[in-house]
Amino acid sequence: MTPETALFADDPHMFFPGPVDVPDDAMAAQLKPLFGHRSDRMDELFGAVQERLRKVFCTDSRVYLLACSGSGLQEAAIRNCVRMPHTGAKVVVLVCGGFSQRWHDVAAGCGRTVVKHELPWFEAFTPDVVAAAVEQANTDGNLDAVCLVHNETSTGVMHNLAGISDAIRSAAPNALFLVDAVSSLAGTEIRCGDWQLDICLTSSQKALAVPPGLAIGAVSDRVLERAAEVEGRGWYFDFLNLEAYLARGTTPATPAISLVQSLLIQLDRILEEGLEVRWQRHRHLRDFTRQWAVDRGFSLCVPDEHASMTVTTLAGPRGWDLNAMNQRLAAAGLAVGSGYGKEKGKSFRIGHMGELRIDDLRRLFEIIESCTG
Ligand SMILES: Cc1ncc(COP(=O)(O)O)c(C=O)c1O
């Protein structure tokens, strides 16, 4: 990359699985003068973003943009797609790590009947396992939705979305398939339309490489049909309200205008790179990280077939001093993610998403290697 096309004046320093370093021009876009949110300029910005989001989510349907983090859309998905318990309705949540556990807690917190199907951390749901769980939960025909975290950021497990979507459609055709792609959207292939994902939600601060604060979700027509039958959708997250405003090219509440300006820069960058090229770049980052780890005696916490394209969890060789590594990295101005939740102190996570390149990983690995003596 020549200095004129460099994305960052200072090299990226965050190798977390989000938030990630945001290119300078996308950071600077937040400093542009503001304008009214009921203005032609906002309508123009909103329209430009909507058109690009549909391309990045690979969908012909709508993409909602909300001023909140991704957890907000986890809650919105439940509020709009799952009817209240007195109707007999329920939702299956597939849990295999910290963020799928959160979605379970969100659904329970919204007062819905939740069927939890759980696997040990670092394991992945296969289409067969999901089909069996869904069939079992739908014997009364009252299964409203199935929630899956595509890329479990807490473990580094990534699921076969297309296969699981087919399995759910066959086992329970009326159940909506709700997907959290918070740490994978724009970092690996996700085709919301072709794969019939009813909701696919993400956060701005991960593979999109935008500052935190926006939640973005592609939503199918089936979701809107369901929402019309659901009581207690609330207001801020009511998809029917969002839809009515979207039809007029705007939002019910004040959008996070500065963040949307930043998002536009990144969407243009992503489309200019090309989706397939971007997905391939992330695959290279993943493969490079895993090969380096094996060569240096680290253990991979997730087997190849379920390995995430955007985050790799590693455990050190015997006698490995995690604290010393973190101190050495901090002294160089760099950081990796710690083990998540119950994994804290046992493993660490390398985020390789957004605008990172192989050379950035090389800089990181050199410092980690200096700790192996
Ligand atoms: C897979 C996944 N889901 C949900 C969340 C929560 O997203 P947010 O922090 O944007 O609310 C995260 C955050 O890291 C995540 O990785």
Side-chain angles (χ1 to χ4, degrees):
M1 210 174 290
T2 64
E4 298 80 57
T5 59
L7 301 175
F8 303 96
D10 296 322
D11 288 331
H13 65 285
M14 292 196 292
F15 296 85
F16 303 130
V20 304
D21 287 284
V22 176
D24 294 347
D25 55 354
M27 281 301 276
Q30 296 176 96
L31 296 178
K32 287 187 188 167
L34 283 173
F35 37 82
H37 69 292
R38 304 282 180 227
S39 65
D40 290 347
R41 281 191 65 189
M42 186 65 218
D43 291 353
E44 208 176 291
L45 174 62
F46 191 70
V49 163
Q50 180 65 212
E51 183 201 325
R52 289 159 176 77
L53 282 174
R54 287 181 193 192
K55 290 185 184 152
V56 171
F57 279 73
C58 301
T59 179
D60 294 330
S61 77
R62 70 216 41 87
V63 184
Y64 296 141
L65 190 56
L66 282 152
C68 62
S69 75
S71 306
L73 264 181
Q74 280 191 336
E75 180 153 338
I78 299 295
R79 287 194 182 281
N80 284 275
C81 298
V82 186
R83 290 166 300 147
M84 288 296 190
H86 70 82
T87 63
K90 51 186 144 15
V91 55
V92 165
V93 184
L94 301 164
V95 176
C96 62
F99 292 103
S100 39
Q101 178 61 45
R102 175 175 307 174
W103 212 353
H104 168 275
D105 297 346
V106 165
C110 290
R112 273 32 176 208
T113 304
V114 191
V115 179
K116 179 177 181 178
H117 197 83
E118 191 164 18
L119 288 182
W121 282 40
F122 300 111
E123 288 187 18
F125 288 97
T126 59
D128 287 350
V129 166
V130 173
V134 167
E135 254 166 45
Q136 198 186 2
N138 194 41
T139 44
D140 57 4
N142 256 334
L143 180 62
D144 271 1
V146 180
C147 297
L148 176 78
V149 171
H150 175 220
N151 191 63
E152 239 313 340
T153 324
S154 60
T155 58
V157 159
M158 203 174 87
H159 290 105
N160 166 1
L161 266 192
I164 291 176
S165 181
D166 282 349
I168 295 170
R169 288 269 169 162
S170 309
N174 292 329
L176 299 173
F177 185 28
L178 314 182
V179 176
D180 168 327
V182 164
S183 56
S184 49
L185 199 279
T188 190
E189 181 177 16
I190 300 182
R191 299 190 182 276
C192 294
D194 289 352
W195 297 352
Q196 299 188 301
L197 313 183
D198 288 301
I199 292 185
C200 178
L201 65 94
T202 197
S203 304
S204 49
Q205 75 274 15
K206 306 275 188 181
L208 288 167
V210 172
L214 291 176
I216 309 165
V219 169
S220 73
D221 289 346
R222 295 204 320 160
V223 166
L224 298 186
E225 285 158 25
R226 170 67 56 68
E229 297 170 9
V230 179
E231 319 149 52
R233 298 191 302 275
W235 187 87
Y236 191 73
F237 290 130
D238 178 3
F239 287 164
L240 298 186
N241 199 26
L242 284 166
E243 184 66 14
Y245 278 83
L246 182 63
R248 309 205 298 267
T250 184
T251 51
T254 315
I257 301 169
S258 309
L259 283 171
V260 181
Q261 308 223 63
S262 178
L263 175 65
L264 180 62
I265 301 275
Q266 276 302 97
L267 292 174
D268 276 338
R269 170 165 288 120
I270 290 165
L271 292 170
E272 196 179 317
E273 180 177 13
L275 286 179
E276 310 229 342
V277 174
R278 189 175 180 88
W279 299 335
Q280 197 56 31
R281 175 167 60 76
H282 281 79
R283 178 182 287 277
H284 284 146
L285 294 172
R286 190 269 310 258
D287 293 348
F288 186 73
T289 302
R290 288 173 73 82
Q291 189 59 54
W292 167 81
V294 170
D295 292 347
R296 297 297 178 283
F298 289 93
S299 14
L300 301 166
C301 296
V302 175
D304 287 349
E305 62 272 27
H306 304 306
S308 163
M309 299 294 174
T310 54
V311 51
T312 297
T313 307
L314 300 176
R318 193 179 284 275
W320 173 246
D321 188 341
L322 199 55
N323 285 333
M325 178 190 80
N326 284 331
Q327 279 167 17
R328 190 79 66 96
L329 287 172
L334 306 184
V336 294
S338 56
Y340 189 87
K342 62 187 180 187
E343 276 295 303
K344 203 174 176 71
K346 294 189 211 160
S347 57
F348 64 100
R349 294 171 300 153
I350 297 178
H352 33 79
M353 62 178 89
E355 301 310 328
L356 290 180
R357 300 292 190 272
I358 295 282
D359 278 349
D360 299 311
L361 289 176
R362 283 204 179 99
R363 272 190 305 118
L364 174 74
F365 295 160
E366 242 171 59
I367 295 175
I368 298 182
E369 280 170 30
S370 72
C371 309
T372 56

